[in-house]
Amino acid sequence: MPPSDPASASALSLRGLTKRFGPTIAVAGIDLDIPTGSFYGVVGPNGAGKTTALSMATGLLEPDTGTVLVHGVDLWADPASAKPMLGVLPDSLHTFDRLTGAELITYAGLLRGLDREVVRERRDDLLAALDLRQAGSTLVTDYSAGMTKKIGLACALVHAPRVLVLDEPFEAVDPVSAGAIRRILISFVGSGGTVVLSSHVMALVERLCDHVAVVGSGRILAAGSLDEVRGGQDLEDRFVGLVGDVEDGRDLAWLRQS
Amino acid sequence: MVATVLSLKYRVVRHQLQREWWRALLLIGGGVWSLSLVPAVLWAQHALALQPIDVRADILVGAGALCVLGWVVAPLLVTGLDDTLDPGRFAVLGPSARTLMPGLTVAATLTIPAVFFGVMFLVLTRAWRFDGAGTMAVAVLGAVLTVASMVLGARVAVAWAARAVSSRRARTVSLIGLVAALGAIGPAIWLTVRDGLESAAEHELPIILEWLGRTPLGAGMAAPGALAEGELWSAAWRLLLMAGTVAALWGAWGVNVSRALVHPVHRGGGAQRRTDAILAGAADRWWGSRGGAAIVTRTVRSRALVYWATDVRYLVNAMGVVALPFVIFVIVVPVMGLDARWALAAPIVLAASIGWGRHNDLAYDSTALWMDVVAGRIGRQVMAGRAQAVLVWGVPAVLVSAVAIVAWGRFWVAIPGLIGACVGALGSTLGVSALSSVVLPYRAPAPGENPFGAEVGSLGASLVAQLISGAAMLAVLPLVTVPFILSLTLDGRWGWLALVTGVGLGIGACIAGVRAAGAMYDRRSGQLLAAVV
């Protein structure tokens, strides 16, 4: 454990992150501190910059400016020390889909420098815990969207990271598997780990997370504990209040059946 | 529907050109180059018109058949086919193949190569202008049908090849077929041409051309000649044959379009694998893979080997490297009557093709790269593992072909030098490619996409990367080939020097390239994903 890691420090802190793609400003300056041991939800409308921000926070996309600290270690300056502390599940990226589910978990574990015996044991544990034993010998290319999410989560967990950054982990996952994932994440946070997840489903964030940040137009619109951000309202109402409702709520009369 | 499909196609092209303006230059360049060939074609038809009828017909049949073959083979081996209008993309909109086909056909006809060949063949029909209006009409009809068979033939070849490589059994069958065909064609051409080009041109060639004129490859070009010699029936059945061929090709394409609408690709065909190939591969310690970080190298290598064995895009790539050496050995050397020792270039070119073929290696893993990127600072291990996976099949392929060529021509003296040159070419080009794939990656077909697909303006979709990696390769290759050439021309003892320098430089360049590429990988890891999408 690096010396710059007092127990009270943030698990993940983003400082002045910006990213521009040509004329489009995807992230316009994000500062966010994610306390150790928190279950942190990041919500925002489509195209708000959530995925871009999380990519920069996990080493997948180089920020134009700003720093990312993982338990006090600068991710972009010292990736060799920072990346092992992170477990990452990106949204809508391919995996090595010519591997079977079991092989993909093994691959992720061995890349992280784990021993073969350890990887074998953890692979079988993860396949069982996520109800993927049947799918372990099937190629990932034949998986459904929900199964792909679950195998991605298993790959993020295999090296027992300290911080999990999950982009839309419950998307397309069936209720039984979602229950299993929830239990795994809750016990991970209970044991001192930190989870950051993005989602569009407010009810899920309210149910799981103790902290939440609302992102809009590449900025943080509100952040803090769930109750602070809600301010006595429903999270969904507060969210719509912050990012603004659809401006032209026109009626599609031609769509009516009679 | 025709107008809808056409405007869709041109809108896609326009947007693509707006995003990457230099593609427009390539498109214009291609157009200008095509136009510059028109005077040559005009001159050719003029010269042909003065020849006797049978010579005229023979030349036109030969040229036509070569063009048809080129149209079918080129997209499979070299360039790919513009797949802007991939029928699978229409699937969600719900049109039937019947409503789509007219639009797709017109769009396929209105491409620069198709228009160019159409104009060229129509100009060539003027070679028959002195033989009466009837002959001229037959010539025009034959030319149009021949060009139509080229355009449709290319589509059908790509569609069937894509289907053939997508299932394991079909893949094995087609691979065996390909090897058998190459094995048959090669010796046949050698036997024909070995007795001397003149004798072949005098005895075998006219017979081959006569027979070609009875097949769909040449019937359209042979028909006017038949009519000019007064054989009405013989011209008529040739045109009918061509019309039937075009109809059959169109039908076959239509069948493929309607299949593509209801058979989305990107499935593994339900393949199962109980053993963990990655876990087993990581235990496989061989050369250069000791030490703490080595397990990561071995892991990446075993993953890459799974891809070489199962991913269609990699298989097509691996087959494509054979094209150039095969052409050198089977066509260039015998046809140009070069000294048989030139055939020794084939295995060296094979080695360089394998190496240079990996200059966009990273992009083939597409966005799955994120797994390697988040795992830490492991660029060197990633690049080493990838290079080792190529060497696993590349080294045996190159050595076997080198020994085979030496045995064929009994050039036993040349073997040390040849092995040195081959190993040197493979290692140094792989080193260059490793660097290029990290520094200049460009978009490759994504997993599950048609491996024979190419993007709009495909010939240069990646021009900068190809030019730079190609130039770097050409700069490096003389270092490993010059001693070998000296051993053939000056003194055989140079061969032993070629062996030492080739093997030494090859291994050195490969290791140096992979290490430098690994360092660049770590430095650029935050930009790589964005670069390959």
Side-chain angles (χ1 to χ4, degrees), chain B residues 57-75 117 120-121 124 146-147 149-151 154 185 189 205 208-209 212-213 215-221 327 330-331 335:
Chain B
D58 277 355
I59 291 176
L60 286 173
V61 167
L66 275 182
C67 291
V68 174
L69 279 179
W71 266 81
V72 173
V73 174
F117 273 80
M120 193 171 83
F121 274 70
L124 285 177
T146 305
V147 173
S149 75
M150 288 175 192
V151 175
I185 297 171
I189 295 189
L205 198 60
I208 294 174
L209 287 175
L212 276 178
T215 68
L217 288 176
M221 305 309 289
V327 166
V330 170
I331 299 174
V335 169

mmCIF file of all heavy atoms in Angstrom, chain B residues 57-75 117 120-121 124 146-147 149-151 154 185 189 205 208-209 212-213 215-221 327 330-331 335:
data_model
loop_
_atom_site.group_PDB
_atom_site.id
_atom_site.type_symbol
_atom_site.label_atom_id
_atom_site.label_comp_id
_atom_site.label_asym_id
_atom_site.label_seq_id
_atom_site.Cartn_x
_atom_site.Cartn_y
_atom_site.Cartn_z
ATOM 1 N N ALA B 57 -9.931 -11.552 -82.143
ATOM 2 C CA ALA B 57 -10.772 -12.270 -81.190
ATOM 3 C C ALA B 57 -9.921 -12.881 -80.088
ATOM 4 O O ALA B 57 -10.262 -12.768 -78.903
ATOM 5 C CB ALA B 57 -11.569 -13.357 -81.910
ATOM 6 N N ASP B 58 -8.774 -13.464 -80.465
ATOM 7 C CA ASP B 58 -7.918 -14.097 -79.462
ATOM 8 C C ASP B 58 -7.456 -13.085 -78.417
ATOM 9 O O ASP B 58 -7.517 -13.323 -77.213
ATOM 10 C CB ASP B 58 -6.696 -14.730 -80.127
ATOM 11 C CG ASP B 58 -7.023 -16.119 -80.669
ATOM 12 O OD1 ASP B 58 -8.170 -16.557 -80.416
ATOM 13 O OD2 ASP B 58 -6.166 -16.728 -81.322
ATOM 14 N N ILE B 59 -6.986 -11.928 -78.902
ATOM 15 C CA ILE B 59 -6.462 -10.919 -77.975
ATOM 16 C C ILE B 59 -7.574 -10.432 -77.048
ATOM 17 O O ILE B 59 -7.406 -10.324 -75.823
ATOM 18 C CB ILE B 59 -5.831 -9.752 -78.750
ATOM 19 C CG1 ILE B 59 -4.555 -10.240 -79.430
ATOM 20 C CG2 ILE B 59 -5.537 -8.587 -77.821
ATOM 21 C CD1 ILE B 59 -3.891 -9.218 -80.295
ATOM 22 N N LEU B 60 -8.755 -10.168 -77.650
ATOM 23 C CA LEU B 60 -9.856 -9.660 -76.823
ATOM 24 C C LEU B 60 -10.312 -10.700 -75.808
ATOM 25 O O LEU B 60 -10.612 -10.367 -74.661
ATOM 26 C CB LEU B 60 -11.025 -9.225 -77.706
ATOM 27 C CG LEU B 60 -10.768 -7.897 -78.438
ATOM 28 C CD1 LEU B 60 -11.884 -7.613 -79.428
ATOM 29 C CD2 LEU B 60 -10.665 -6.756 -77.432
ATOM 30 N N VAL B 61 -10.364 -11.966 -76.221
ATOM 31 C CA VAL B 61 -10.769 -13.024 -75.288
ATOM 32 C C VAL B 61 -9.769 -13.115 -74.143
ATOM 33 O O VAL B 61 -10.152 -13.172 -72.965
ATOM 34 C CB VAL B 61 -10.881 -14.375 -76.027
ATOM 35 C CG1 VAL B 61 -10.972 -15.522 -75.016
ATOM 36 C CG2 VAL B 61 -12.105 -14.390 -76.926
ATOM 37 N N GLY B 62 -8.476 -13.066 -74.472
ATOM 38 C CA GLY B 62 -7.456 -13.156 -73.420
ATOM 39 C C GLY B 62 -7.555 -12.001 -72.454
ATOM 40 O O GLY B 62 -7.584 -12.195 -71.224
ATOM 41 N N ALA B 63 -7.664 -10.768 -73.010
ATOM 42 C CA ALA B 63 -7.731 -9.598 -72.136
ATOM 43 C C ALA B 63 -8.994 -9.643 -71.279
ATOM 44 O O ALA B 63 -8.955 -9.374 -70.071
ATOM 45 C CB ALA B 63 -7.706 -8.326 -72.977
ATOM 46 N N GLY B 64 -10.108 -10.006 -71.916
ATOM 47 C CA GLY B 64 -11.380 -10.052 -71.182
ATOM 48 C C GLY B 64 -11.317 -11.062 -70.051
ATOM 49 O O GLY B 64 -11.714 -10.772 -68.914
ATOM 50 N N ALA B 65 -10.783 -12.254 -70.352
ATOM 51 C CA ALA B 65 -10.743 -13.294 -69.317
ATOM 52 C C ALA B 65 -9.858 -12.862 -68.151
ATOM 53 O O ALA B 65 -10.203 -13.068 -66.985
ATOM 54 C CB ALA B 65 -10.236 -14.603 -69.913
ATOM 55 N N LEU B 66 -8.715 -12.203 -68.466
ATOM 56 C CA LEU B 66 -7.835 -11.724 -67.393
ATOM 57 C C LEU B 66 -8.567 -10.710 -66.513
ATOM 58 O O LEU B 66 -8.462 -10.751 -65.278
ATOM 59 C CB LEU B 66 -6.581 -11.080 -67.981
ATOM 60 C CG LEU B 66 -5.446 -12.020 -68.335
ATOM 61 C CD1 LEU B 66 -4.253 -11.223 -68.852
ATOM 62 C CD2 LEU B 66 -5.033 -12.843 -67.110
ATOM 63 N N CYS B 67 -9.324 -9.801 -67.154
ATOM 64 C CA CYS B 67 -10.058 -8.791 -66.382
ATOM 65 C C CYS B 67 -11.106 -9.448 -65.482
ATOM 66 O O CYS B 67 -11.260 -9.078 -64.311
ATOM 67 C CB CYS B 67 -10.724 -7.789 -67.307
ATOM 68 S SG CYS B 67 -9.554 -6.729 -68.157
ATOM 69 N N VAL B 68 -11.847 -10.427 -66.023
ATOM 70 C CA VAL B 68 -12.873 -11.090 -65.216
ATOM 71 C C VAL B 68 -12.214 -11.763 -64.009
ATOM 72 O O VAL B 68 -12.668 -11.607 -62.865
ATOM 73 C CB VAL B 68 -13.648 -12.135 -66.052
ATOM 74 C CG1 VAL B 68 -14.604 -12.910 -65.164
ATOM 75 C CG2 VAL B 68 -14.397 -11.457 -67.177
ATOM 76 N N LEU B 69 -11.120 -12.476 -64.256
ATOM 77 C CA LEU B 69 -10.425 -13.139 -63.156
ATOM 78 C C LEU B 69 -9.960 -12.118 -62.113
ATOM 79 O O LEU B 69 -10.101 -12.320 -60.912
ATOM 80 C CB LEU B 69 -9.223 -13.923 -63.675
ATOM 81 C CG LEU B 69 -9.537 -15.292 -64.252
ATOM 82 C CD1 LEU B 69 -8.262 -15.948 -64.743
ATOM 83 C CD2 LEU B 69 -10.207 -16.170 -63.205
ATOM 84 N N GLY B 70 -9.422 -11.001 -62.610
ATOM 85 C CA GLY B 70 -8.950 -9.962 -61.705
ATOM 86 C C GLY B 70 -10.077 -9.440 -60.825
ATOM 87 O O GLY B 70 -9.909 -9.270 -59.622
ATOM 88 N N TRP B 71 -11.231 -9.219 -61.441
ATOM 89 C CA TRP B 71 -12.380 -8.712 -60.675
ATOM 90 C C TRP B 71 -12.787 -9.682 -59.578
ATOM 91 O O TRP B 71 -13.222 -9.276 -58.512
ATOM 92 C CB TRP B 71 -13.571 -8.467 -61.606
ATOM 93 C CG TRP B 71 -13.620 -7.064 -62.082
ATOM 94 C CD1 TRP B 71 -12.900 -6.527 -63.098
ATOM 95 C CD2 TRP B 71 -14.418 -6.013 -61.538
ATOM 96 N NE1 TRP B 71 -13.199 -5.202 -63.225
ATOM 97 C CE2 TRP B 71 -14.130 -4.859 -62.291
ATOM 98 C CE3 TRP B 71 -15.347 -5.928 -60.513
ATOM 99 C CZ2 TRP B 71 -14.744 -3.639 -62.041
ATOM 100 C CZ3 TRP B 71 -15.954 -4.720 -60.261
ATOM 101 C CH2 TRP B 71 -15.648 -3.580 -61.013
ATOM 102 N N VAL B 72 -12.690 -10.983 -59.856
ATOM 103 C CA VAL B 72 -13.123 -11.962 -58.856
ATOM 104 C C VAL B 72 -12.063 -12.132 -57.766
ATOM 105 O O VAL B 72 -12.387 -12.235 -56.584
ATOM 106 C CB VAL B 72 -13.432 -13.310 -59.544
ATOM 107 C CG1 VAL B 72 -13.719 -14.380 -58.515
ATOM 108 C CG2 VAL B 72 -14.614 -13.143 -60.488
ATOM 109 N N VAL B 73 -10.788 -12.121 -58.168
ATOM 110 C CA VAL B 73 -9.731 -12.461 -57.212
ATOM 111 C C VAL B 73 -9.303 -11.251 -56.380
ATOM 112 O O VAL B 73 -9.083 -11.365 -55.173
ATOM 113 C CB VAL B 73 -8.513 -13.057 -57.956
ATOM 114 C CG1 VAL B 73 -7.367 -13.287 -57.005
ATOM 115 C CG2 VAL B 73 -8.922 -14.372 -58.622
ATOM 116 N N ALA B 74 -9.230 -10.067 -57.009
ATOM 117 C CA ALA B 74 -8.669 -8.908 -56.306
ATOM 118 C C ALA B 74 -9.376 -8.605 -54.983
ATOM 119 O O ALA B 74 -8.715 -8.424 -53.966
ATOM 120 C CB ALA B 74 -8.665 -7.690 -57.223
ATOM 121 N N PRO B 75 -10.728 -8.553 -54.961
ATOM 122 C CA PRO B 75 -11.341 -8.239 -53.655
ATOM 123 C C PRO B 75 -11.092 -9.313 -52.616
ATOM 124 O O PRO B 75 -11.123 -9.028 -51.427
ATOM 125 C CB PRO B 75 -12.831 -8.103 -53.969
ATOM 126 C CG PRO B 75 -13.024 -8.620 -55.329
ATOM 127 C CD PRO B 75 -11.715 -8.640 -56.029
ATOM 128 N N PHE B 117 -14.280 0.157 -66.394
ATOM 129 C CA PHE B 117 -14.217 -1.058 -67.209
ATOM 130 C C PHE B 117 -15.303 -1.056 -68.272
ATOM 131 O O PHE B 117 -15.087 -1.517 -69.393
ATOM 132 C CB PHE B 117 -14.306 -2.310 -66.326
ATOM 133 C CG PHE B 117 -12.967 -2.755 -65.821
ATOM 134 C CD1 PHE B 117 -12.394 -2.128 -64.729
ATOM 135 C CD2 PHE B 117 -12.273 -3.766 -66.446
ATOM 136 C CE1 PHE B 117 -11.158 -2.517 -64.268
ATOM 137 C CE2 PHE B 117 -11.029 -4.159 -65.997
ATOM 138 C CZ PHE B 117 -10.462 -3.534 -64.895
ATOM 139 N N MET B 120 -14.107 1.195 -71.022
ATOM 140 C CA MET B 120 -12.981 0.582 -71.711
ATOM 141 C C MET B 120 -13.451 -0.523 -72.665
ATOM 142 O O MET B 120 -13.037 -0.575 -73.818
ATOM 143 C CB MET B 120 -12.038 0.006 -70.664
ATOM 144 C CG MET B 120 -10.703 -0.372 -71.182
ATOM 145 S SD MET B 120 -9.602 -0.803 -69.823
ATOM 146 C CE MET B 120 -10.041 -2.492 -69.540
ATOM 147 N N PHE B 121 -14.336 -1.378 -72.174
ATOM 148 C CA PHE B 121 -14.791 -2.484 -73.032
ATOM 149 C C PHE B 121 -15.634 -1.976 -74.194
ATOM 150 O O PHE B 121 -15.593 -2.544 -75.288
ATOM 151 C CB PHE B 121 -15.552 -3.525 -72.204
ATOM 152 C CG PHE B 121 -14.627 -4.533 -71.577
ATOM 153 C CD1 PHE B 121 -13.776 -4.173 -70.553
ATOM 154 C CD2 PHE B 121 -14.583 -5.840 -72.047
ATOM 155 C CE1 PHE B 121 -12.896 -5.086 -70.003
ATOM 156 C CE2 PHE B 121 -13.709 -6.764 -71.497
ATOM 157 C CZ PHE B 121 -12.866 -6.381 -70.470
ATOM 158 N N LEU B 124 -13.316 -0.719 -76.787
ATOM 159 C CA LEU B 124 -12.681 -1.827 -77.504
ATOM 160 C C LEU B 124 -13.590 -2.436 -78.559
ATOM 161 O O LEU B 124 -13.112 -2.996 -79.546
ATOM 162 C CB LEU B 124 -12.237 -2.908 -76.517
ATOM 163 C CG LEU B 124 -10.992 -2.568 -75.707
ATOM 164 C CD1 LEU B 124 -10.688 -3.686 -74.722
ATOM 165 C CD2 LEU B 124 -9.790 -2.353 -76.625
ATOM 166 N N THR B 146 -20.137 -8.957 -70.492
ATOM 167 C CA THR B 146 -18.882 -9.319 -69.827
ATOM 168 C C THR B 146 -18.631 -8.428 -68.611
ATOM 169 O O THR B 146 -18.288 -8.907 -67.523
ATOM 170 C CB THR B 146 -17.706 -9.194 -70.816
ATOM 171 O OG1 THR B 146 -17.997 -9.997 -71.965
ATOM 172 C CG2 THR B 146 -16.414 -9.665 -70.191
ATOM 173 N N VAL B 147 -18.844 -7.109 -68.797
ATOM 174 C CA VAL B 147 -18.630 -6.204 -67.669
ATOM 175 C C VAL B 147 -19.627 -6.511 -66.550
ATOM 176 O O VAL B 147 -19.269 -6.514 -65.357
ATOM 177 C CB VAL B 147 -18.727 -4.732 -68.131
ATOM 178 C CG1 VAL B 147 -18.682 -3.801 -66.935
ATOM 179 C CG2 VAL B 147 -17.587 -4.412 -69.074
ATOM 180 N N SER B 149 -20.870 -9.353 -65.844
ATOM 181 C CA SER B 149 -20.443 -10.578 -65.143
ATOM 182 C C SER B 149 -19.268 -10.291 -64.213
ATOM 183 O O SER B 149 -19.121 -10.921 -63.177
ATOM 184 C CB SER B 149 -20.089 -11.668 -66.154
ATOM 185 O OG SER B 149 -18.854 -11.393 -66.755
ATOM 186 N N MET B 150 -18.418 -9.299 -64.559
ATOM 187 C CA MET B 150 -17.324 -8.917 -63.653
ATOM 188 C C MET B 150 -17.882 -8.332 -62.366
ATOM 189 O O MET B 150 -17.530 -8.757 -61.257
ATOM 190 C CB MET B 150 -16.467 -7.812 -64.281
ATOM 191 C CG MET B 150 -15.610 -8.227 -65.416
ATOM 192 S SD MET B 150 -14.838 -6.710 -66.025
ATOM 193 C CE MET B 150 -14.170 -7.341 -67.533
ATOM 194 N N VAL B 151 -18.761 -7.323 -62.514
ATOM 195 C CA VAL B 151 -19.276 -6.611 -61.343
ATOM 196 C C VAL B 151 -20.036 -7.580 -60.439
ATOM 197 O O VAL B 151 -19.824 -7.619 -59.217
ATOM 198 C CB VAL B 151 -20.174 -5.450 -61.802
ATOM 199 C CG1 VAL B 151 -20.820 -4.775 -60.611
ATOM 200 C CG2 VAL B 151 -19.364 -4.456 -62.605
ATOM 201 N N ALA B 154 -17.743 -10.308 -58.776
ATOM 202 C CA ALA B 154 -17.009 -9.859 -57.593
ATOM 203 C C ALA B 154 -17.899 -9.941 -56.357
ATOM 204 O O ALA B 154 -17.475 -10.410 -55.301
ATOM 205 C CB ALA B 154 -16.515 -8.428 -57.804
ATOM 206 N N ILE B 185 -2.366 -25.359 -60.238
ATOM 207 C CA ILE B 185 -2.097 -24.281 -61.187
ATOM 208 C C ILE B 185 -0.591 -24.054 -61.336
ATOM 209 O O ILE B 185 -0.075 -23.910 -62.442
ATOM 210 C CB ILE B 185 -2.758 -22.967 -60.729
ATOM 211 C CG1 ILE B 185 -4.278 -23.141 -60.704
ATOM 212 C CG2 ILE B 185 -2.402 -21.830 -61.669
ATOM 213 C CD1 ILE B 185 -4.989 -21.980 -60.070
ATOM 214 N N ILE B 189 1.343 -24.141 -64.910
ATOM 215 C CA ILE B 189 1.918 -22.971 -65.586
ATOM 216 C C ILE B 189 3.405 -23.196 -65.838
ATOM 217 O O ILE B 189 3.916 -22.915 -66.932
ATOM 218 C CB ILE B 189 1.687 -21.707 -64.731
ATOM 219 C CG1 ILE B 189 0.186 -21.429 -64.657
ATOM 220 C CG2 ILE B 189 2.434 -20.521 -65.335
ATOM 221 C CD1 ILE B 189 -0.174 -20.123 -64.041
ATOM 222 N N LEU B 205 -1.216 -21.657 -76.144
ATOM 223 C CA LEU B 205 -2.042 -20.477 -75.920
ATOM 224 C C LEU B 205 -3.283 -20.409 -76.818
ATOM 225 O O LEU B 205 -4.394 -20.171 -76.322
ATOM 226 C CB LEU B 205 -1.178 -19.211 -76.080
ATOM 227 C CG LEU B 205 -1.780 -17.954 -75.462
ATOM 228 C CD1 LEU B 205 -1.981 -18.143 -73.964
ATOM 229 C CD2 LEU B 205 -0.888 -16.753 -75.730
ATOM 230 N N ILE B 208 -5.885 -22.726 -75.471
ATOM 231 C CA ILE B 208 -6.489 -22.210 -74.242
ATOM 232 C C ILE B 208 -7.473 -21.096 -74.559
ATOM 233 O O ILE B 208 -8.599 -21.062 -74.061
ATOM 234 C CB ILE B 208 -5.386 -21.688 -73.285
ATOM 235 C CG1 ILE B 208 -4.520 -22.855 -72.811
ATOM 236 C CG2 ILE B 208 -5.998 -20.965 -72.093
ATOM 237 C CD1 ILE B 208 -3.326 -22.438 -71.980
ATOM 238 N N LEU B 209 -7.070 -20.176 -75.460
ATOM 239 C CA LEU B 209 -7.936 -19.043 -75.781
ATOM 240 C C LEU B 209 -9.208 -19.513 -76.468
ATOM 241 O O LEU B 209 -10.297 -19.009 -76.208
ATOM 242 C CB LEU B 209 -7.195 -18.044 -76.667
ATOM 243 C CG LEU B 209 -6.126 -17.226 -75.928
ATOM 244 C CD1 LEU B 209 -5.366 -16.344 -76.906
ATOM 245 C CD2 LEU B 209 -6.764 -16.385 -74.831
ATOM 246 N N LEU B 212 -11.339 -20.799 -73.787
ATOM 247 C CA LEU B 212 -11.857 -19.700 -72.967
ATOM 248 C C LEU B 212 -13.031 -19.024 -73.661
ATOM 249 O O LEU B 212 -14.000 -18.608 -73.027
ATOM 250 C CB LEU B 212 -10.754 -18.660 -72.703
ATOM 251 C CG LEU B 212 -9.815 -18.946 -71.541
ATOM 252 C CD1 LEU B 212 -8.771 -17.851 -71.452
ATOM 253 C CD2 LEU B 212 -10.601 -19.033 -70.248
ATOM 254 N N GLY B 213 -12.946 -18.906 -74.989
ATOM 255 C CA GLY B 213 -14.015 -18.282 -75.761
ATOM 256 C C GLY B 213 -15.311 -19.055 -75.707
ATOM 257 O O GLY B 213 -16.356 -18.557 -76.128
ATOM 258 N N THR B 215 -16.267 -20.412 -72.738
ATOM 259 C CA THR B 215 -16.705 -20.331 -71.345
ATOM 260 C C THR B 215 -17.195 -18.914 -71.062
ATOM 261 O O THR B 215 -16.921 -17.993 -71.840
ATOM 262 C CB THR B 215 -15.547 -20.616 -70.381
ATOM 263 O OG1 THR B 215 -14.611 -19.536 -70.491
ATOM 264 C CG2 THR B 215 -14.853 -21.914 -70.698
ATOM 265 N N PRO B 216 -17.896 -18.742 -69.946
ATOM 266 C CA PRO B 216 -18.366 -17.396 -69.588
ATOM 267 C C PRO B 216 -17.231 -16.394 -69.424
ATOM 268 O O PRO B 216 -17.469 -15.199 -69.464
ATOM 269 C CB PRO B 216 -19.092 -17.615 -68.253
ATOM 270 C CG PRO B 216 -19.498 -19.043 -68.268
ATOM 271 C CD PRO B 216 -18.433 -19.767 -69.033
ATOM 272 N N LEU B 217 -15.993 -16.874 -69.249
ATOM 273 C CA LEU B 217 -14.891 -15.928 -69.096
ATOM 274 C C LEU B 217 -14.614 -15.179 -70.402
ATOM 275 O O LEU B 217 -14.192 -14.026 -70.383
ATOM 276 C CB LEU B 217 -13.617 -16.665 -68.659
ATOM 277 C CG LEU B 217 -13.578 -17.193 -67.240
ATOM 278 C CD1 LEU B 217 -12.295 -17.976 -67.013
ATOM 279 C CD2 LEU B 217 -13.653 -16.043 -66.259
ATOM 280 N N GLY B 218 -14.831 -15.834 -71.529
ATOM 281 C CA GLY B 218 -14.440 -15.206 -72.783
ATOM 282 C C GLY B 218 -15.509 -15.192 -73.860
ATOM 283 O O GLY B 218 -15.310 -14.584 -74.918
ATOM 284 N N ALA B 219 -16.652 -15.835 -73.583
ATOM 285 C CA ALA B 219 -17.661 -15.979 -74.647
ATOM 286 C C ALA B 219 -18.132 -14.629 -75.162
ATOM 287 O O ALA B 219 -18.320 -14.439 -76.366
ATOM 288 C CB ALA B 219 -18.844 -16.794 -74.119
ATOM 289 N N GLY B 220 -18.303 -13.665 -74.236
ATOM 290 C CA GLY B 220 -18.807 -12.358 -74.650
ATOM 291 C C GLY B 220 -17.856 -11.671 -75.604
ATOM 292 O O GLY B 220 -18.276 -10.949 -76.523
ATOM 293 N N MET B 221 -16.547 -11.881 -75.428
ATOM 294 C CA MET B 221 -15.572 -11.235 -76.291
ATOM 295 C C MET B 221 -15.368 -12.033 -77.581
ATOM 296 O O MET B 221 -14.937 -11.479 -78.598
ATOM 297 C CB MET B 221 -14.227 -11.089 -75.560
ATOM 298 C CG MET B 221 -14.309 -10.380 -74.229
ATOM 299 S SD MET B 221 -15.170 -8.803 -74.301
ATOM 300 C CE MET B 221 -13.987 -7.830 -75.189
ATOM 301 N N VAL B 327 2.408 -15.187 -56.921
ATOM 302 C CA VAL B 327 2.453 -14.510 -58.221
ATOM 303 C C VAL B 327 3.887 -14.480 -58.739
ATOM 304 O O VAL B 327 4.148 -14.745 -59.912
ATOM 305 C CB VAL B 327 1.874 -13.090 -58.096
ATOM 306 C CG1 VAL B 327 2.213 -12.266 -59.325
ATOM 307 C CG2 VAL B 327 0.374 -13.161 -57.901
ATOM 308 N N VAL B 330 4.891 -18.264 -59.684
ATOM 309 C CA VAL B 330 4.133 -18.967 -60.711
ATOM 310 C C VAL B 330 3.948 -18.138 -61.974
ATOM 311 O O VAL B 330 3.841 -18.676 -63.067
ATOM 312 C CB VAL B 330 2.770 -19.401 -60.128
ATOM 313 C CG1 VAL B 330 1.865 -19.909 -61.207
ATOM 314 C CG2 VAL B 330 2.988 -20.464 -59.084
ATOM 315 N N ILE B 331 3.905 -16.824 -61.830
ATOM 316 C CA ILE B 331 3.618 -16.017 -63.016
ATOM 317 C C ILE B 331 4.813 -15.175 -63.446
ATOM 318 O O ILE B 331 5.284 -15.304 -64.579
ATOM 319 C CB ILE B 331 2.382 -15.129 -62.761
ATOM 320 C CG1 ILE B 331 1.181 -16.034 -62.485
ATOM 321 C CG2 ILE B 331 2.110 -14.246 -63.976
ATOM 322 C CD1 ILE B 331 -0.052 -15.318 -62.093
ATOM 323 N N VAL B 335 6.819 -16.287 -66.818
ATOM 324 C CA VAL B 335 6.292 -15.520 -67.949
ATOM 325 C C VAL B 335 7.330 -14.527 -68.461
ATOM 326 O O VAL B 335 7.497 -14.333 -69.659
ATOM 327 C CB VAL B 335 4.982 -14.813 -67.551
ATOM 328 C CG1 VAL B 335 4.586 -13.815 -68.632
ATOM 329 C CG2 VAL B 335 3.885 -15.839 -67.356
#
